[in-house]
Amino acid sequence: MFIGSALTLLVPTLNCTPILTCVSSLLGFFFPGETVLEIGVEDDGSSMNLTKSEYEEAIRNLRKCANGLKCDVTVLPLTASADSAKSLSPTIAGGDAIKENGYFYAHVVIRKRAGQVEDMNELRIAVVGNVDAGKSTLLGVLTKNVLDDGRGKARVNLFRHKHELETGRTSSVGLEIMGFTSTGEVVTSDLVHGTVGSKQKLTWDDVTGHASKVISFFDLAGHEKYLKTTVFGMTGCSPDFVMLMIGANAGIIGMTKEHLGLALALNVPVYICITKIDMCPPNVLEGTIKQLTKILKSSGCRKIPMFIKTVGDVLMTAGNFVSERVCPIFQISNLTGEGLDLLKLFLNVLRSNSQGHYNANAPVEYQITDTFSVPGVGTVVNGTLVNGIVHVGDNLLIGPDSTGQFTPTIVKSIQRKRVNVPVASAGQSASFALKKIKRSNIRKGMVMLSKAADAKAYFEFEAEILVLYHSTTISTKYQAMLHCGGVRQTAKIVGMNQTVLRTGDRALVQFRFMRCPEYLKVGTRLLFREGRTKGVGKVVRLGPKDHQEAAK
């Protein structure tokens, strides 16, 4: 975002009302509570020829105005030439490198200070990749602020089950968070407890109490036999971005292409981390990079690979990442820490592309992705609030059950990142404690709706599908595992507008769930698979076909 006509920033005046209004609207438009601006560049990309004194005056006035909005202004590395400003590739420059008579230009992050947990910014990132690519290790390094020892030290705290500790392989959807302060610092134990108490373990309360922005990482399984769980994590957890991990020494093998295909099918922006570069011979690393570039540029992928080597690369790709064509690629080492600073900066300035996906003014819709039974509390559900706002004490409907019915319930309490909050808004991940509901009556894929919503469950629906791969032909009575949002159930084809379907075919298909009816919405993306068969599509009509035609 350019501050083209923001020369008012240079005027030393106490009246900051126009700038306050401008900054306030930007904070709400791009990503609630956060925006990235560029000082010293016009709207058309040309330099504003700011001298050092003018640049400093602009920053002072901007800080004064942001302070009135309870925000902090962080100046990212700046450059001293107008040509660099046009190319959008600033470098980290020391004070001696910038001349008095040079023209100044800088990226500025404006972010609200840490406040209530219910108002905290959140990005959800799904971490995928082949088994042994280093997914859990990288998350351990990022969230615990410790380097790995090459023997799995960093990943130990992320595992949820005994067999995961024994094998070193993730089999469930793990969740870890990483916090950034309003000035862009990573929330670490040193920051919270000081250097004296830095050995204390960093809790989620510590992170949420000091962070203005939180990154939620979903650590998904890499092994092929856990693919069902990985697909559910990709569809049900509503990730904003996907982080694809590739081991530099192993290359693109196993489930890597499968996971990349999943992200493309679900239309989720992807960035790539090449790990283990410390132990990989240069020729093998070069081969991995060539192979990756070839796949990204292929007709099925059509991505623009961007290898991140400077701060300027980070700022440019983070700003253009929402276009979904750009694919940033980081080369990192969890052992030496090489490349981790650029990755952290990227996560700090990255903004969500979910503007318009969630509606706080619509009737409540909450997708359940996990269930718990907590002693002393009762039944607890975890998931994402797609629409509406939920307060403690609200009466909602939960369902559908095996007969398609919805049961009334009351929200006893709400937690966000393990912290009690009074309210949850659309687009946020939250946990609800429920009254008068047994855990045995709840399953993943259920929804919670307000009484004003259209609470109907359907056995049959029609979808427009594309068959990505099938070895022979698909006809009626064909069965596959269908993933649609939080819904995960076997469905059968009961009708279609073609006799048979082969790889690459598009068709209108009528599906019927095999076990129980589900809550669906028109326009929802779906994914079905069976063995090596894969297909994607979109729900276009709900209910049996004869009912649909009668309604017309």
Side-chain angles (χ1 to χ4, degrees), residues 215-230:
I215 311 287
S216 297
F217 292 105
F218 295 97
D219 187 15
L220 304 181
H223 201 281
E224 187 171 3
K225 73 176 182 179
Y226 303 124
L227 180 61
K228 179 181 172 184
T229 303
T230 301

Side-chain angles (χ1 to χ4, degrees), residues 322-388:
V322 289
S323 70
E324 297 175 7
R325 284 293 308 279
V326 176
C327 182
I329 302 171
F330 297 86
Q331 299 179 48
I332 59 175
S333 168
N334 294 318
L335 190 68
T336 64
E338 183 181 350
L340 288 177
D341 287 343
L342 291 176
L343 179 58
K344 288 177 182 177
L345 177 62
F346 178 75
L347 294 172
N348 179 35
V349 298
L350 190 60
R351 302 190 299 278
S352 173
N353 64 338
S354 61
Q355 189 80 20
H357 292 190
Y358 305 107
N359 185 1
N361 299 318
V364 171
E365 181 188 339
Y366 175 80
Q367 293 182 347
I368 297 174
T369 57
D370 218 341
T371 64
F372 309 92
S373 185
V374 181
V377 177
T379 303
V380 175
V381 294
N382 183 50
T384 306
L385 189 57
V386 180
N387 290 321

